[in-house]
C-alpha cells in the first residue's frame, strides 16, 4: 500500500514509458504510516495526489501495462493497480 504524494514529468524516457502517468508514492503500513522511502510508480488506474493505492512490483508491474505489445520490453518495476477506498486493521 502507498499514498500518492506527487507526480513526475519527464520529457526524455524509455519508449515503454511514453504516455504513462508517473506518480511519486510513499509506501505505508496498515496504520497509514510511512514504511519505506518514496518511489516512482506507473499509474494504471488514474490515481490522484492524496489517494491511498495498491502497488505491485517486478513482473506484476510490467504485466499491468496492457498497452505495451508482447514483444516490446517494459521497464516499469512499480505500478499502481488499485485505489484503496478504506482499510481496516485488527
Amino acid at each position: 500500500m502507498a499514498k500518492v504524494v506527487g507526480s513526475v514529468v519527464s520529457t526524455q524516457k524509455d519508449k515503454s514509458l511514453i504516455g504513462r502517468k508517473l506518480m511519486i508514492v510513499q509506501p505505508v503500513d496498515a496504520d497509514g504510516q510511512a514504511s519505506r522511502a518514496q518511489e516512482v510508480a506507473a499509474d494504471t488506474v488514474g490515481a490522484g495526489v492524496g489517494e491511498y493505492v495498491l502497488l505491485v512490483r517486478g513482473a506484476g508491474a510490467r504485466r499491468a501495462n496492457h498497452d505495451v505489445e508482447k514483444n516490446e520490453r517494459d521497464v516499469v518495476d512499480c505500478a499502481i493497480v488499485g485505489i484503496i477506498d478504506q482499510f481496516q486493521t485488527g
Side-chain angles (χ1 to χ4, degrees):
M1 296 181 298
K3 184 175 183 178
V4 179
V5 297
S7 62
V8 173
V9 176
S10 175
T11 56
Q12 297 295 316
K13 56 193 162 206
D14 187 87
K15 70 179 185 173
S16 70
L17 297 176
I18 294 172
R20 297 175 82 176
K21 189 166 79 169
L22 302 175
M23 305 301 283
I24 302 168
V25 294
Q26 172 64 64
V28 297
D29 62 19
D31 295 320
Q33 300 300 311
S35 62
R36 291 188 304 277
Q38 294 178 356
E39 58 188 300
V40 175
D43 183 13
T44 68
V45 296
V49 173
E51 292 187 294
Y52 287 94
V53 295
L54 296 173
L55 298 178
V56 293
R57 290 185 176 81
R62 287 183 287 283
R63 289 188 185 110
N65 183 16
H66 300 290
D67 295 334
V68 174
E69 296 179 22
K70 291 182 180 181
N71 294 329
E72 185 179 323
R73 69 185 178 97
D74 190 345
V75 299
V76 170
D77 195 48
C78 184
I80 298 170
V81 296
I83 298 172
I84 298 172
D85 295 317
Q86 66 180 10
F87 51 93
Q88 302 170 351
T89 60

